[in-house]
Amino acid sequence: MEYEAGVNTSHGKSKRNLYLIAGTVTIVAFAIVFVVVLIFTIKPEHGLKETVMSRCQSYVDTETSTSSGNDCEDIWSAFEQAYVGKDPCSVPPEAYNSFINSVQQKIPCNKNLFWSRTKDMVHAFTKNRDCLITLEDTLVGFMFDELKWCSSNGSKETFTTGCPGWTECANNPVRSFWSRASKNFAATACGNVSVMLNGSIDTPFNQESAFASIEVKNFNPAIMESLTVLLVNKETDRKTCSDESLKNLQSILSSDPLKSVSFKCRVVHQAKVKDCIDDQNILCGNCW
């Protein structure tokens, strides 16, 4: 009986040892997974920089007109200086002045296309047609479209998570970036300029939109001749160029300092725009 008891005790110790080993292995495995996750999340700026640099180089290599005078490393450095080490709610649009000045690109006259609440359609159009250019088609916009970033007081890092949302605070890094970029895109627009507005919503020209609150206010009448509204409607929409919000836009253009900029408006059916997206044999001038 003593022998049997001894055997049982030994067997119990073996089982405890196995449990101990298994528990240790589990803890070690968990620690390894935690470290791997930490490595990939603690410095997310590497992913952001790689994305931006890749976009920048691809754009410069493809668009020969921007190849000279643009150094992607210099552009990234100027971009970082705007927000790194700062409170993510204390980055005003002016912080990106050096970044804007570091990018060399002149948009030909008569090609600027602005938009409001028509992003998907307008970019489907410019992706397939080269007759018009939106902010997101420029080097500045192309590099950062749909990206998020921020830093914090005293930090040397860039973060892509935990950043304030668009409306959380006015001077957050992303919102201020697009405000400054929009201002520059508008201020340099020359000749006959276009804007694609949404005829399916109550207020196509919304005073709270970036187009109304930033871009229209920064048009330069010395170099801009006209603004053509392309009011995109579905077949069932009844919006016309007589819409009250568009009258407000026309009123702005008929007053100082923009009274020399003529106002034009055309109702364009979505189906026609889609035809122009799909069929590049249609001349751009015939799309509306």
Side-chain angles (χ1 to χ4, degrees), residues 209-247:
S209 67
F211 176 65
S213 64
I214 299 173
E215 292 166 337
V216 170
K217 292 181 178 180
N218 283 283
F219 284 153
N220 183 353
I223 59 175
M224 185 172 163
E225 297 176 16
S226 68
L227 175 68
T228 298
V229 172
L230 305 172
L231 186 63
V232 181
N233 283 356
K234 297 177 182 177
E235 289 185 7
T236 56
D237 293 333
R238 295 292 179 264
K239 288 288 184 184
T240 69
C241 290
S242 297
D243 180 81
E244 194 63 31
S245 71
L246 297 183
K247 289 181 180 178

Side-chain angles (χ1 to χ4, degrees), residues 171-273:
N171 287 331
N172 70 70
V174 176
R175 182 169 181 169
S176 290
F177 172 89
W178 288 110
S179 294
R180 184 63 183 88
S182 295
K183 179 180 179 180
N184 183 69
F185 189 63
T188 56
C190 58
N192 301 306
V193 174
S194 303
V195 59
M196 189 176 288
L197 300 181
N198 191 337
S200 299
I201 59 177
D202 292 337
T203 311
F205 178 64
N206 189 327
Q207 297 287 350
E208 302 299 319
S209 67
F211 176 65
S213 64
I214 299 173
E215 292 166 337
V216 170
K217 292 181 178 180
N218 283 283
F219 284 153
N220 183 353
I223 59 175
M224 185 172 163
E225 297 176 16
S226 68
L227 175 68
T228 298
V229 172
L230 305 172
L231 186 63
V232 181
N233 283 356
K234 297 177 182 177
E235 289 185 7
T236 56
D237 293 333
R238 295 292 179 264
K239 288 288 184 184
T240 69
C241 290
S242 297
D243 180 81
E244 194 63 31
S245 71
L246 297 183
K247 289 181 180 178
N248 291 337
L249 174 56
Q250 186 174 11
S251 177
I252 292 172
L253 294 180
S254 63
S255 306
D256 285 332
L258 297 173
K259 63 182 181 180
S260 64
V261 178
S262 62
F263 174 85
K264 302 175 184 179
C265 181
R266 298 177 185 174
V267 175
V268 185
H269 291 297
Q270 274 192 15
K272 193 169 186 179
V273 179

Side-chain angles (χ1 to χ4, degrees), residues 31-288:
I32 292 173
V33 170
F34 177 78
V35 170
V36 169
V37 171
L38 193 61
I39 288 173
F40 281 99
T41 59
I42 198 168
K43 293 186 177 182
E45 79 279 1
H46 293 313
L48 179 70
K49 181 176 181 179
E50 288 171 1
T51 298
V52 172
M53 292 293 287
S54 176
R55 289 183 181 184
C56 179
Q57 199 59 56
S58 172
Y59 192 100
V60 170
D61 290 343
T62 303
E63 302 292 332
T64 56
S65 61
T66 63
S67 58
S68 60
N70 284 308
D71 183 287
C72 293
E73 283 287 354
D74 290 344
I75 291 172
W76 172 261
S77 178
F79 167 73
E80 275 191 314
Q81 291 173 18
Y83 67 92
V84 168
K86 300 178 182 179
D87 185 302
C89 282
S90 299
V91 181
E94 296 74 26
Y96 290 98
N97 284 349
S98 294
F99 162 75
I100 291 295
N101 293 332
S102 72
V103 180
Q104 305 300 313
Q105 183 176 19
K106 181 174 175 56
I107 307 303
C109 290
N110 310 318
K111 298 194 73 170
N112 290 76
L113 176 60
F114 295 85
W115 58 272
S116 182
R117 299 292 296 273
T118 54
K119 183 175 183 178
D120 290 342
M121 177 160 284
V122 80
H123 288 145
F125 181 85
T126 59
K127 181 179 179 180
N128 284 11
R129 312 301 294 266
D130 60 0
C131 49
L132 295 172
I133 297 173
T134 68
L135 170 57
E136 293 78 15
D137 299 314
T138 66
L139 179 54
V140 166
F142 180 76
M143 284 188 292
F144 296 95
D145 192 24
E146 301 292 343
L147 300 181
K148 296 179 181 179
W149 62 88
C150 66
S151 187
S152 61
N153 274 328
S155 174
K156 295 181 179 180
E157 307 293 347
T158 292
F159 309 106
T160 55
T161 59
C163 299
W166 186 266
T167 59
E168 191 171 331
C169 53
N171 287 331
N172 70 70
V174 176
R175 182 169 181 169
S176 290
F177 172 89
W178 288 110
S179 294
R180 184 63 183 88
S182 295
K183 179 180 179 180
N184 183 69
F185 189 63
T188 56
C190 58
N192 301 306
V193 174
S194 303
V195 59
M196 189 176 288
L197 300 181
N198 191 337
S200 299
I201 59 177
D202 292 337
T203 311
F205 178 64
N206 189 327
Q207 297 287 350
E208 302 299 319
S209 67
F211 176 65
S213 64
I214 299 173
E215 292 166 337
V216 170
K217 292 181 178 180
N218 283 283
F219 284 153
N220 183 353
I223 59 175
M224 185 172 163
E225 297 176 16
S226 68
L227 175 68
T228 298
V229 172
L230 305 172
L231 186 63
V232 181
N233 283 356
K234 297 177 182 177
E235 289 185 7
T236 56
D237 293 333
R238 295 292 179 264
K239 288 288 184 184
T240 69
C241 290
S242 297
D243 180 81
E244 194 63 31
S245 71
L246 297 183
K247 289 181 180 178
N248 291 337
L249 174 56
Q250 186 174 11
S251 177
I252 292 172
L253 294 180
S254 63
S255 306
D256 285 332
L258 297 173
K259 63 182 181 180
S260 64
V261 178
S262 62
F263 174 85
K264 302 175 184 179
C265 181
R266 298 177 185 174
V267 175
V268 185
H269 291 297
Q270 274 192 15
K272 193 169 186 179
V273 179
K274 290 179 179 178
D275 286 342
C276 287
I277 292 171
D278 297 333
D279 186 357
Q280 297 187 32
N281 291 321
I282 300 175
L283 298 177
C284 284
N286 294 333
C287 291
W288 37 72

